[in-house]
């Protein structure tokens, strides 16, 4: 096969792939599924709603800061900005967990906050029916309000907006107390 | 035909008006230098010509009149009289007003004689600050990515070394029969040689290209920062004009002086501040500076003075406006405050002068007898207060009777460009602003004077505090060890100095400092952070914070010499819990006192100073929530952090704990000693 024939054959294959994509059944409507990230915190499986986060980064150096901010690990340079990094394990009540916190999720578009954790396991797309809210869970765990069940295991879903709101409120209370 | 035929004319004319306005104010002060007159005449002439081009004969006629007055004045060879100055400025205001009328209907801006021509330079491009920030972030990130490519250059080093080894091996290896190299081997050797030289060329060329791109990126970054930050002196002409107009309206003689104009800050902050500062300087003229006759009678110079000083103070920029007038009439403010119901008459009498003056910042208070166009409605300080509120800034007022008043406004800056000296301590890099660095030194351990409260060294005949940086950064470094020789940076803030002990000095660098993220409550030694060439954050230290830390004696170089921390007060009605917490804390080196109830704790807390309260929630009488809430509203106790340790595990309880101001919440059943101690260390060290 000479070169023009090769190009023609490749173009035909691409055309066919393009046409076939219209013949596939549409994916489930977004309101019927929930996109999740599967992570581990202090060795335990957790999930994070993809829509709650602005990004995920790995391997950034965290520069410590002398501060009275609880759960703060330090600052990281992310996307050309200086971002505060908090320990997810510490926020969830595990205290300081040994080992490297290689992964960070970015939360919030303005003044983003990064939450660091050790293991990122992958991506999950689950029907919403696989997510179970439990009032008892809400009563006993501050930042977990749902459970995502798969065939393999059940994962607590971390309420990222709640964590972010708490971090922002804390500083508000602290500054108010100082100003008063 | 363009939709807006006057678009470029307006921009040009406003810049010309701005130049004329500044020059006329200058002419009022000094005998005109020939080059100043020539420049003003040129500006007026250009404006006249431009107006004729766009068929605006009215503006051209006004510009012609300005030109005529300036020409007549050039011959006189003396400062412009106030009347002539007013006439010229009035003509400029009229031109500004006509320019505003040429705005397209959709974006007409309000312009009046009180406001100077818009400060819009020629051929400008308006860029949203958010877009500029986005550009800056992208450029920084591009630098980070370039750093990754540079690491690839290191891999090329390794490839070249391997190729060299291969070349050596092929040379050293004889042919299979021992009779010299075979033709294949010779060919392989030659190919390996060629590979090595190709790699050499590739590496050199890549290194040069990378350096070039790196240089270009640094240039782009610096230019972008210059665009992002505006020098404070941009607003000086408007303020000077306000002072001049106010003085003339009130028949006073006032000289305006400004300094610190080179301090750069965010354009949007500066724009808001300009309006607030115009009120401040007008107030200074209206309320502060006396009339010429009064000043002469008081033995003061006939002309009053209004000074504006712009200073960088830590992470803030301060605009200090002072006058040499009569000062604030404290008794008049006291009466006005009572009349307005701000203070009950019974309390007002006993309030000290500084508290009375502080009421001026509370809003709606004025002492002026005359309500004039300039002042007297108490609006000026309200505008300043609202601006400070919007910018998260602060305002303070000082006064000395007969000598003048000072209004200081301080605003936070989100970004600043400065020269810094980069140091290393406990493996971390930090920068100290170079303008605060007096000297760098080598200090032998034997030269450090130890005492129970703090350490010091002898520097130029003075004893100054010596603080190891790793201790201030709460890092476990070499501070406590006998290390032989220190590198030290002598840092000054005001009239005080401190020697900061570091592991290494890495040189000076141009730093773009950003404010710390809002959720980080850093120790006062930290001013902000910058990103290094690899995109990693680097702390920028606050000279004032370093000196203050030295005064608190935090930097002792040995554990034994550290000042004693106030004890922790454990408040719990359960004996078991009290003893358990006491043993955990004491084994971690904390001094502990115990209280059996919230009431007992309050009594103890008013008797002596504690560093921390650890409080149970459920106790007879006052519960832990109430105790925390009460201490947060007590001025003497609110800065002592409180931690709740309780068996109540509900989310609502945790929320309530946060609401009342507890800094952390621990559940007894899930008690983790390590986490408790880590939290305590974070809070009190």
């Amino acid at each position: 096969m000479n070169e023009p024939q090769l190009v023609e054959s490749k173009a035909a294959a691409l055309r066919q792939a393009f046409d076939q994509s219209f013949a596939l059944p549409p994916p489930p409507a977004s309101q019927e599924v929930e996109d999740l990230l599967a992570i581990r915190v202090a060795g335990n499986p957790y999930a994070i709603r993809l829509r709650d986060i602005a990004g995920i980064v790995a391997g950034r150096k965290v520069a410590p800061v002398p501060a009275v901010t609880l759960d703060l690990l330090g600052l990281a340079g992310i996307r050309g900005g200086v971002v505060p990094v908090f320990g997810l394990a510490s926020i969830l009540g595990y205290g300081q967990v040994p080992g490297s916190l290689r992964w960070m999720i970015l939360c919030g578009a303005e003044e983003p906050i990064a939450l660091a954790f050790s293991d990122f396991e992958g991506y999950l797309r689950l029907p919403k029916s696989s997510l179970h809210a439990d009032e008892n869970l809400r009563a006993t765990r501050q930042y977990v309000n749902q459970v995502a069940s798969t065939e393999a295991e059940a994962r607590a879903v971390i309420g990222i907006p709640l964590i972010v709101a708490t971090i922002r409120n804390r500083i508000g209370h602290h500054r108010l107390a100082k100003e008063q | 035909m363009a939709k807006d035929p006057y678009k470029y004319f307006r921009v040009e004319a406003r810049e010309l008006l701005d130049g004329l306005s500044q020059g006329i104010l200058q002419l009022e002060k000094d005998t005109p230098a020939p080059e100043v007159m020539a420049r003003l005449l040129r500006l007026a002439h250009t404006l006249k010509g431009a107006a004729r081009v766009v068929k605006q004969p009215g503006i051209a006629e006004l510009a012609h009149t300005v030109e005529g007055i300036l020409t007549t004045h050039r011959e006189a060879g003396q400062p412009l009289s106030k009347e002539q100055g007013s006439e010229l400025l009035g003509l400029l205001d009229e031109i500004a007003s006509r320019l505003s009328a040429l705005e397209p209907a959709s974006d007409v801006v309000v312009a009046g004689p009180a406001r100077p021509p818009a400060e819009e330079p020629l051929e400008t491009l308006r860029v949203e600050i958010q877009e500029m920030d986005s550009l800056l972030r992208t450029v920084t990130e591009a630098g980070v990515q370039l750093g990754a490519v540079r690491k690839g250059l290191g891999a090329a080093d390794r490839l070249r070394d391997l190729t060299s080894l291969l070349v050596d091996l092929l040379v050293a290896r004889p042919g299979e029969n021992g009779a010299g190299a075979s033709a294949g081997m010779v060919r392989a050797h030659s190919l390996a040689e060629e590979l090595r030289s190709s790699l050499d060329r590739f590496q050199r060329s890549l290194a040069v290209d990378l350096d070039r791109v790196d240089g270009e990126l640094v240039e782009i970054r610096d230019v972008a920062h210059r665009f992002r930050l505006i020098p404070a002196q941009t607003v000086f002409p408007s303020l000077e004009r306000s002072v001049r107009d106010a003085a003339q309206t009130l028949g006073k003689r006032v000289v305006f002086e400004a300094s610190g104009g080179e301090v750069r800050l965010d354009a949007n902050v500066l724009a808001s501040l300009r309006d607030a500062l115009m009120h401040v300087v007008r107030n200074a003229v209206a309320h502060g500076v006396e009339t010429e006759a009064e000043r002469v009678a008081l033995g003061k110079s006939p002309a009053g003075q209004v000074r504006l000083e712009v200073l960088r103070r830590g992470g803030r920029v301060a605009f200090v406006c002072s006058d040499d007038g009569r000062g604030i009439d404290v008794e008049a403010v006291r009466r006005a405050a009572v009349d307005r119901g701000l203070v009950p008459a019974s309390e007002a009498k006993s309030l000290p002068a500084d508290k009375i003056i502080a009421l001026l910042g509370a809003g709606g208070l004025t002492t002026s007898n005359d309500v004039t166009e300039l002042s007297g409605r108490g609006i000026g300080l309200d505008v300043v207060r609202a601006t400070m509120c919007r910018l998260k800034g602060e305002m303070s007022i000082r006064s000395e009777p007969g000598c003048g008043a000072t209004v200081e406004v301080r605003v936070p800056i989100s970004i600043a460009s400065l020269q810094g000296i980069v140091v290393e301590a406990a493996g971390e890099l930090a920068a100290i602003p170079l303008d605060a660095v007096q000297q760098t030194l080598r200090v032998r351990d034997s030269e450090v004077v130890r005492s129970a409260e703090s350490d010091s060294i002898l520097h130029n005949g003075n004893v100054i505090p010596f603080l190891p940086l790793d201790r201030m950064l709460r890092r476990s470094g070499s501070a406590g060890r006998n290390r032989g020789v220190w590198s030290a940076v002598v840092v000054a803030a005001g009239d005080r100095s401190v020697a900061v002990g570091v592991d290494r000095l890495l040189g000076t660098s141009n730093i773009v400092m950003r404010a710390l993220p809002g959720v980080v409550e850093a120790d006062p030694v930290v001013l902000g952070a910058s990103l290094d060439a690899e995109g990693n954050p680097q702390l920028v230290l606050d000279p004032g914070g370093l000196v203050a830390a030295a005064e608190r004696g935090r930097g002792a170089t040995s554990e034994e010499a550290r000042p004693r921390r106030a004890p922790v007060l454990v408040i719990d009605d359960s004996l078991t819990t009290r003893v358990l917490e006491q043993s955990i804390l004491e084994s971690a080196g904390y001094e502990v006192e115990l209280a059996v109830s919230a009431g007992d704790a309050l009594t103890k807390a008013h008797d002596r100073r504690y560093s921390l309260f650890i409080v149970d929630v459920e106790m007879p009488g006052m519960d832990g929530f109430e105790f925390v809430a009460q201490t947060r509203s007590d001025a003497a106790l609110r800065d002592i952090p409180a931690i709740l340790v309780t068996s109540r595990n509900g989310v609502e309880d945790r929320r309530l704990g946060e609401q009342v101001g507890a800094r952390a919440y621990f559940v007894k059943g899930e008690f983790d000693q390590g986490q408790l101690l880590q939290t305590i260390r974070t809070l009190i060290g």
Side-chain angles (χ1 to χ4, degrees):
Chain A
M1 200 181 282
N2 58 27
E3 198 167 325
Q5 283 174 320
L6 264 173
V7 172
E8 199 172 318
S9 144
K10 183 106 186 224
L14 286 170
R15 261 199 307 276
Q16 192 180 3
F18 180 76
D19 291 344
Q20 271 187 344
S21 69
F22 290 95
L24 292 172
S30 60
Q31 66 269 26
E32 292 165 11
V33 296
E34 186 74 65
D35 292 313
L36 301 161
L37 295 182
I39 65 168
R40 272 186 191 268
V41 180
N44 297 312
Y46 280 93
I48 292 164
R49 285 182 205 88
L50 202 57
R51 62 184 155 94
D52 288 345
I53 68 171
I56 181 162
V57 292
R60 297 297 170 119
K61 186 184 176 227
V62 177
V65 188
V68 293
T69 311
L70 286 179
D71 306 318
L72 179 76
L73 299 175
L75 304 171
I78 299 174
R79 295 177 186 167
V82 176
V83 178
V85 183
F86 292 81
L88 194 49
S90 165
I91 291 170
L92 293 178
Y94 291 107
Q96 291 227 315
V97 180
S100 88
L101 299 175
R102 177 175 154 67
W103 294 93
M104 292 175 198
I105 50 167
L106 271 181
C107 317
E110 282 185 20
E111 289 223 5
I113 287 170
L115 302 174
F117 56 96
S118 56
D119 301 293
F120 172 54
E121 296 187 307
Y123 162 76
L124 299 170
R125 171 169 278 197
L126 298 179
K128 284 204 165 163
S129 56
S130 301
L131 270 72
H132 310 278
D134 185 339
E135 283 307 314
N136 291 329
L137 209 58
R138 280 174 205 256
T140 55
R141 299 203 205 171
Q142 198 174 5
Y143 301 118
V144 171
N145 45 27
Q146 275 188 319
V147 169
S149 62
T150 64
E151 284 178 11
E153 61 189 348
R155 288 173 181 272
V157 181
I158 303 171
I160 296 294
L162 202 53
I163 290 181
V164 173
T166 303
I167 289 172
R168 296 199 200 280
N169 285 342
R170 265 185 203 160
I171 198 77
H173 288 314
H174 184 52
R175 294 223 168 110
L176 193 64
K178 272 174 76 175
E179 281 165 20
Q180 281 172 348
Chain B
M1 186 69 185
K3 283 181 191 166
D4 178 8
Y6 305 112
K7 184 177 173 183
Y8 297 105
F9 171 65
R10 284 197 309 272
V11 173
E12 182 187 10
R14 280 175 178 149
E15 189 183 53
L16 294 167
L17 283 180
D18 206 15
L20 280 165
S21 181
Q22 284 176 43
I24 289 163
L25 289 172
Q26 189 64 38
L27 288 185
E28 284 187 346
K29 290 182 209 159
D30 306 314
T31 304
E35 62 273 14
V36 174
M37 279 309 299
R39 186 172 61 85
L40 292 179
L41 282 167
R42 194 173 61 247
L43 293 176
H45 192 75
T46 309
L47 180 57
K48 183 171 71 178
R52 282 183 180 152
V53 168
V54 293
K55 301 196 168 33
Q56 289 298 314
I59 292 177
E61 194 53 42
L62 288 165
H64 178 71
T65 311
V66 171
E67 198 182 351
I69 295 173
L70 287 172
T71 309
T72 313
H73 180 67
R74 180 170 56 176
E75 314 303 328
Q78 56 189 11
L80 208 63
S81 69
K82 286 283 172 200
E83 292 70 30
Q84 286 172 315
S86 297
E87 186 183 357
L88 283 168
L89 291 170
L91 288 164
L92 299 186
D93 287 340
E94 175 60 25
I95 296 173
S97 169
R98 291 189 184 206
L99 282 174
S100 295
L102 297 177
E103 295 280 353
S106 58
D107 58 7
V108 168
V109 293
V110 178
R115 202 177 172 97
E119 283 141 14
E120 190 170 23
L122 194 60
E123 294 174 0
T124 52
L125 178 67
R126 286 181 182 275
V127 181
E128 292 287 326
I129 287 172
Q130 279 180 344
E131 286 174 15
M132 186 56 86
D133 282 346
S134 171
L135 170 70
L136 282 170
R137 281 196 298 272
T138 310
V139 173
T140 308
E141 191 62 16
V144 174
Q145 300 303 331
L146 200 66
V149 177
R150 207 175 275 284
K151 279 184 186 155
L153 204 61
D157 263 346
R158 175 82 183 131
L159 280 178
R160 199 187 50 183
D161 292 347
L162 286 172
T163 317
S164 292
L165 278 175
L166 188 63
V167 170
D168 294 345
L169 197 65
L170 290 171
V171 167
R173 213 171 145 172
E176 281 175 15
N177 56 10
S182 68
M185 285 301 288
V186 170
R187 176 78 182 130
H189 178 258
S190 155
L191 281 173
E193 282 271 22
E194 196 177 330
L195 182 60
R196 182 169 62 178
S197 60
S198 295
L199 270 174
D200 256 347
R201 280 199 302 279
F202 164 72
Q203 199 183 15
R204 274 200 301 273
S205 149
L206 188 60
V208 169
D209 289 347
L210 277 178
D211 283 346
R212 197 173 298 143
V213 175
D214 211 13
E216 298 290 343
L217 273 179
V218 169
E219 178 71 20
I220 295 170
R221 193 191 66 181
D222 289 351
V223 170
H225 279 126
R226 273 207 301 280
F227 290 160
R228 176 71 170 74
L229 301 170
I230 309 282
Q233 64 201 14
T234 313
V235 300
F236 289 174
S238 308
L239 300 177
E240 184 171 10
R241 175 77 192 272
S242 292
V243 167
R244 182 218 174 265
D245 288 352
Q248 189 161 34
T249 306
L250 297 169
K252 296 180 179 180
R253 275 182 66 190
V254 187
V255 176
F256 176 78
E257 283 180 12
S259 62
E262 68 285 354
V263 175
R264 299 177 84 97
L265 67 166
D266 304 23
N268 55 342
V269 171
L270 198 57
S272 301
L273 273 177
R274 182 186 61 185
D275 295 341
L277 289 169
M278 280 164 80
H279 286 285
V280 173
V281 295
R282 278 188 208 144
N283 267 350
V285 175
H287 296 290
V289 177
E290 307 91 340
T291 60
E292 193 172 339
E294 285 170 332
R295 290 184 66 86
V296 171
L298 289 165
K300 293 182 174 183
S301 64
Q305 193 181 52
V306 174
R307 272 193 59 75
L308 179 71
E309 198 178 358
V310 186
L311 307 156
R312 186 181 283 135
R313 285 200 175 142
R316 293 178 172 241
V317 170
F319 289 75
V320 185
C321 178
S322 53
D323 65 69
D324 67 347
R326 59 175 71 90
I328 293 168
D329 183 347
V330 175
E331 292 315 311
V333 180
R334 202 187 298 270
R335 282 194 300 276
V338 172
D339 289 348
R340 291 253 173 186
L342 292 177
V343 186
S346 52
E347 281 181 31
K349 282 181 194 160
S350 56
L351 273 182
D354 59 332
K355 299 267 185 219
I356 289 289
I357 289 169
L359 291 172
L360 279 173
L365 206 55
T366 181
T367 60
S368 178
N369 294 325
D370 307 311
V371 173
T372 67
E373 276 187 25
L374 288 166
S375 58
R377 296 190 180 95
I379 294 167
L381 286 174
D382 283 356
V383 171
V384 182
R385 198 163 48 89
T387 307
M388 288 306 104
C389 194
R390 198 170 68 249
L391 298 175
K392 298 191 174 72
E394 300 142 13
M395 170 174 62
S396 60
I397 305 169
R398 301 185 289 279
S399 171
E400 199 173 331
C403 296
T406 301
V407 175
E408 179 171 334
V409 296
R410 295 174 295 278
V411 290
I413 46 174
S414 64
I415 191 166
S417 177
L418 50 96
Q419 281 279 315
I421 182 162
V422 181
V423 298
E424 183 180 331
E428 296 296 332
L429 302 186
I432 302 172
L434 198 58
D435 56 10
V437 174
Q438 286 184 323
Q439 200 176 352
T440 57
L441 302 169
R442 301 280 284 168
V443 179
R444 285 196 300 279
D445 235 3
S446 57
E447 293 171 307
V448 179
V449 182
R450 315 278 182 184
S451 75
E453 289 78 25
S454 63
D455 297 340
S456 51
I457 61 166
L458 202 58
H459 174 61
N460 293 342
N462 296 316
V463 177
I464 61 169
F466 176 75
L467 283 172
L469 183 57
D470 50 9
R471 181 69 52 76
M472 279 186 279
L473 297 179
R474 301 197 203 175
R475 308 289 296 161
S476 50
S478 50
R481 293 205 308 268
N482 189 341
R483 51 179 292 157
V485 179
W486 294 84
S487 294
V489 183
V490 180
V491 178
D495 55 357
R496 302 183 310 258
S497 305
V498 56
V500 180
V502 301
D503 295 343
R504 283 201 299 159
L505 301 172
L506 300 178
T508 59
S509 174
N510 191 21
I511 289 163
V512 176
M513 186 194 73
R514 292 145 198 269
L516 289 179
V519 296
V520 176
E521 188 75 359
D523 289 358
V525 294
V526 183
L527 185 59
S530 65
L531 292 176
D532 66 15
E534 293 183 344
N536 293 319
Q538 180 178 288
L539 296 182
V540 181
L541 303 176
D542 184 349
L546 292 170
V547 168
E551 288 177 349
R552 286 197 305 273
R554 274 187 55 184
T557 52
S558 64
E559 287 301 323
E560 309 88 83
R562 286 183 75 173
R564 275 161 62 90
R565 187 193 297 109
V568 174
L569 185 61
V570 171
I571 307 143
D572 203 304
D573 60 326
S574 153
L575 175 65
T576 312
T577 310
R578 285 200 304 270
V579 172
L580 172 71
E581 290 177 1
Q582 184 179 23
S583 68
I584 292 169
L585 292 165
E586 286 183 345
S587 60
Y590 294 96
E591 189 186 339
V592 180
E593 284 196 13
L594 303 172
V596 295
S597 69
D600 180 24
L602 282 177
T603 308
K604 283 189 156 81
H606 282 110
D607 281 349
R608 69 165 298 179
R609 180 79 184 165
Y610 293 98
S611 58
L612 175 72
F613 299 129
I614 299 184
V615 198
D616 183 22
V617 169
E618 288 172 309
M619 291 185 287
M622 185 190 299
D623 69 13
F625 293 136
E626 200 181 331
F627 173 82
V628 176
Q630 202 159 320
T631 52
R632 296 315 88 178
S633 59
D634 186 329
L637 305 177
R638 69 165 65 106
D639 61 329
I640 303 172
I643 293 177
L644 289 166
V645 179
T646 168
S647 51
R648 286 162 71 155
N649 191 18
V651 170
E652 278 311 313
D653 292 319
R654 286 173 184 269
R655 280 202 192 112
L656 185 55
E658 281 201 358
Q659 272 170 17
V660 294
R663 303 296 305 281
Y665 193 103
F666 288 89
V667 177
K668 286 178 183 172
E670 305 164 0
F671 200 73
D672 177 337
Q673 285 190 27
Q675 198 181 356
L676 176 69
L677 289 173
Q678 178 59 36
T679 304
I680 293 173
R681 270 194 288 274
T682 306
L683 291 173
I684 62 172

